[in-house]
Amino acid sequence: MTDETAKPKRVLNRSAVKVPMREQPPGERIYNFEEVPLGYTPDEAVQEAQRCLLCRDKPCVAGCPVGVDIPAFQQLAMNGDFEGALRKIKEMNFLPAICGRVCPQEDQCEALCRLSRKGEPGGVGRLERFLGDYALTHDVNVTPDVAAPTGRSVAIIGSGPAGLTCASDLAQRGHDVTVFEALHRPGGVLFYGIPEFRLPKVTLVREIDGLKKMGVKFVMNYPVGKAESLTAIRARFDAVFVGTGAGLPWFLNIPGENLNGVYSANEFLTRVNLMGAYKFPENDTPVKPMRRIAVVGAGNTAMDSARTSKRLRPEVVHLIYRRSRLEMPARQEEIHHAEQEGIDFNLLHSPTRIIDNGKGAVAAIECQQMELGEPDASGRRRPVPIAGALKVFEVDTVVIAIGQGTNPLLLADCPEIERTPRGTIVVDPQTMQTSLPGLFAGGDIVTGGATVILAMGAGRSAATAMHRYLTTGSATPRAETAPADDAPDEPADTDGP
Ligand code: FAD
Ligand code: SF4
């Protein structure tokens, strides 16, 4: 006799490798700006979820900066309940279609996945991306409910992942939220930095539409610090969150950096991504024609600059980095894609000068060749020059992608806000409150250049503390507020009969 009420037997996929994801072939994709990985079909998503062991102790969750319940969403996805799986992710992560594409999963959740003992980890990022896209393509309404209005107002300065997450969490709690953004499109680096072939903008636009439906107001072309001072904004709102990122480029400080044809990665990517320079003359903010390009650096920004350059159809793109491949900070997938696309990697090369063509423009970049020495304070082997080993690359364009700092404009009229010598804002790590009560900060403006998910985590922590501040007058949780010496053990019940 069979037991008709028994649960269906769980289907396991015992494959040691991830279900592969189809991609545009390298020979085709270097001629367009369309997305490179093409995503899973529903069948592929179910198969990948069926690899998950549903570990009871959930090691992968400890690796997720926002604590997504990874086995719980995979359990729903393996049974084809994509809407349920998506709702589960959205409890903790407001931008799954974006994080599935850009998070460094290999250093986070997937690094701790038990499947790695015998093969590849679970494809957490690929599933997150599939589920995020499923909502966008199947008209699934996952816009969170919004609580009754509290009558309290909040200004969010900067619309990157930190600001957007903070805005979403505060709007859900019933606060009146206004986002101020210096540029004409919201999204921060997600819009102006990360190229279309890695993060299609439609994904971001739909998520931002969801915020607007929740009542969040966006004021664009509004650089706070110039259009209106931070002090004035602070006076107009009950609380303020600063999420202005780290958009001020660093340079190498070598001769020739002011020549025509030298770009910061920030300017280069903004011109191409935000202004659509690759559609020139249809769009009217060009980059100058380039034949031979050198990109300096090895993080995500450098990979994005090199791969974007490649799509502008030059003869060659050299990537120049002073350490070895092991130390390259970019996501593994980006390095792999850059190699596939024919970027010429020159590791252990450190630029010494940019050479003038006699007319004030770039003719070449000279580099000192390096070798690895003893480990430095960071634990990485220090690159040391090889005496007399110089190499010259003939180029007409140099893109500097060695990192970014914070822009001092916003804080100019608020010297009382404590900052580090690097210019980042100092916050209480638990509440994200700055030295100015009611003013909170998070994301790259606090950490320096980091990751999307860390910025989102900071936006969420700040929102929790800001809600507390708006409703109780203190950002610190009640149990942790030090009692005054003469305070009673229990608060007096002043409202009682
Ligand atoms: P941002 O995203 O920088 O947003 C800040 C916003 O504030 C911007 O829109 C800016 O215009 C606005 N703003 C600044 N000043 C003012 C002002 N005075 N008034 C009003 N608005 C203002 N991370 C990953 O996890 N994965 C990746 O693959 C990845 N790739 C990257 C590629 C590039 C090219 C770059 C530059 C970064 C990349 N990062 C990546 C890092 C990641 O994008 C950042 O850590 C993250 O965007 C930080 O978020 P944020 O909200 O703090 O700031
Ligand atoms: Fe699934 Fe890996 Fe997390 Fe275990 S560690 S629950 S196998 S994703």
Side-chain angles (χ1 to χ4, degrees):
M1 226 172 84
T2 53
D3 176 1
E4 308 237 318
T5 61
K7 282 190 187 164
K9 200 162 178 277
R10 191 188 149 193
V11 183
L12 269 178
N13 176 357
R14 296 201 183 278
S15 169
V17 293
K18 292 178 187 175
V19 174
M21 189 181 280
R22 287 155 300 119
E23 289 183 352
Q24 268 200 82
E28 272 175 33
R29 70 191 191 225
I30 56 168
Y31 298 113
N32 66 56
F33 275 78
E34 279 148 39
E35 196 172 10
V36 172
L38 301 174
Y40 278 157
T41 61
D43 275 353
E44 288 166 340
V46 167
Q47 279 174 41
E48 180 53 44
Q50 284 171 347
R51 291 182 64 230
C52 179
L53 304 170
L54 304 180
C55 311
R56 290 216 176 146
D57 55 344
K58 309 182 182 189
C60 47
V61 178
C64 174
V66 295
V68 170
D69 192 339
I70 294 164
F73 91 68
Q74 300 216 63
Q75 186 164 24
L76 292 160
M78 68 176 59
N79 293 314
D81 181 1
F82 299 139
E83 193 171 327
L86 178 65
R87 285 187 195 286
K88 186 47 79 183
I89 298 182
K90 282 257 181 178
E91 282 173 12
M92 306 309 282
N93 182 345
F94 140 77
L95 301 170
I98 290 165
C99 291
R101 286 172 166 86
V102 305
C103 268
Q105 291 100 5
E106 70 264 23
D107 300 325
Q108 300 179 342
C109 51
E110 294 185 14
L112 300 178
C113 174
R114 207 150 274 150
L115 285 169
S116 308
R117 290 179 184 168
K118 291 198 176 156
E120 287 185 352
V124 179
R126 293 178 179 190
L127 284 169
E128 228 185 349
R129 170 199 161 128
F130 169 81
L131 293 165
D133 287 356
Y134 184 83
L136 302 177
T137 50
H138 286 74
D139 212 16
V140 177
N141 183 9
V142 276
T143 307
D145 294 336
V146 170
T150 60
R152 312 307 305 270
S153 64
V154 178
I156 307 275
I157 306 174
S159 66
L164 294 178
T165 306
C166 190
S168 167
D169 282 13
L170 287 169
Q172 283 177 58
R173 289 168 163 125
H175 303 300
D176 179 11
V177 179
T178 307
V179 178
F180 296 94
E181 168 56 51
L183 297 173
H184 64 283
R185 302 295 298 257
V189 171
L190 302 178
F191 207 100
Y192 76 77
I194 302 182
E196 181 76 14
F197 56 81
R198 211 148 69 76
L199 179 64
K201 302 299 169 257
V202 62
T203 312
L204 182 62
V205 169
R206 297 254 191 112
E207 300 287 13
I208 289 169
D209 283 349
L211 275 183
K212 290 181 182 163
K213 279 190 206 145
M214 288 161 64
V216 175
K217 297 181 273 291
F218 284 84
V219 180
M220 308 310 295
N221 299 308
Y222 205 84
V224 177
K226 195 160 181 225
E228 183 177 1
S229 71
L230 181 56
T231 308
I233 292 254
R234 175 72 193 92
R236 281 208 285 139
F237 291 85
D238 295 318
V240 176
F241 175 78
V242 176
T244 45
L248 195 70
W250 288 336
F251 284 92
L252 293 156
N253 293 323
I254 57 171
E257 260 183 317
N258 54 357
L259 290 172
N260 223 330
V262 179
Y263 293 88
S264 69
N266 210 347
E267 179 189 348
F268 177 72
L269 291 170
T270 302
R271 277 177 180 265
V272 180
N273 291 330
L274 188 73
M275 312 292 192
Y278 60 94
K279 293 188 194 149
F280 183 77
E282 195 185 318
N283 288 18
D284 63 1
T285 308
V287 279
K288 83 181 188 51
M290 325 173 156
R291 277 188 321 110
R292 304 180 65 83
I293 304 170
V295 174
V296 182
N300 288 320
T301 310
M303 292 306 137
D304 284 344
S305 302
R307 297 179 63 205
T308 297
S309 307
K310 187 77 188 178
R311 284 157 174 76
L312 300 174
R313 307 187 181 201
E315 283 168 22
V316 64
V317 182
H318 302 292
L319 187 98
I320 295 174
Y321 179 48
R322 69 194 184 107
R323 294 182 187 261
S324 73
R325 187 188 163 109
L326 204 62
E327 287 90 24
M328 291 174 79
R331 294 176 72 222
Q332 287 307 316
E333 189 182 35
E334 306 325 321
I335 298 173
H336 172 63
H337 281 154
E339 284 174 331
Q340 280 185 328
E341 290 169 10
I343 306 297
D344 171 43
F345 279 42
N346 296 275
L347 306 175
L348 292 165
H349 281 70
S350 180
T352 46
R353 65 183 173 122
I354 301 170
I355 300 168
D356 194 331
N357 70 353
K359 297 179 193 155
V362 175
I365 182 166
E366 180 193 76
C367 297
Q368 166 70 59
Q369 294 185 45
M370 317 291 275
E371 61 188 348
L372 290 179
E374 294 301 310
D376 60 16
S378 70
R380 301 182 297 175
R381 289 181 67 193
R382 186 196 306 270
V384 286
I386 303 172
L390 292 175
K391 187 167 171 186
V392 173
F393 297 87
E394 278 183 29
V395 292
D396 50 37
T397 306
V398 175
V399 180
I400 315 274
I402 56 164
Q404 277 136 233
T406 56
N407 192 325
L409 173 77
L410 172 79
L411 303 175
D413 76 321
C414 290
E416 64 273 40
I417 298 177
E418 196 188 337
R419 271 166 274 176
T420 65
R422 286 195 304 156
T424 51
I425 298 180
V426 175
V427 293
D428 174 327
Q430 197 188 6
T431 62
M432 312 304 286
Q433 189 165 222
T434 67
S435 50
L436 197 63
L439 192 111
F440 298 75
D444 282 4
I445 184 75
V446 169
T447 54
T451 61
V452 170
I453 194 75
L454 286 174
M456 290 174 63
R460 165 149 294 174
S461 302
T464 304
M466 288 169 83
H467 176 66
R468 212 180 289 125
Y469 173 82
L470 291 166
T471 50
T472 70
S474 167
T476 314
R478 185 176 274 261
E480 290 177 25
T481 311
D485 285 342
D486 58 351
D489 289 336
E490 296 289 330
D493 186 0
T494 49
D495 288 331

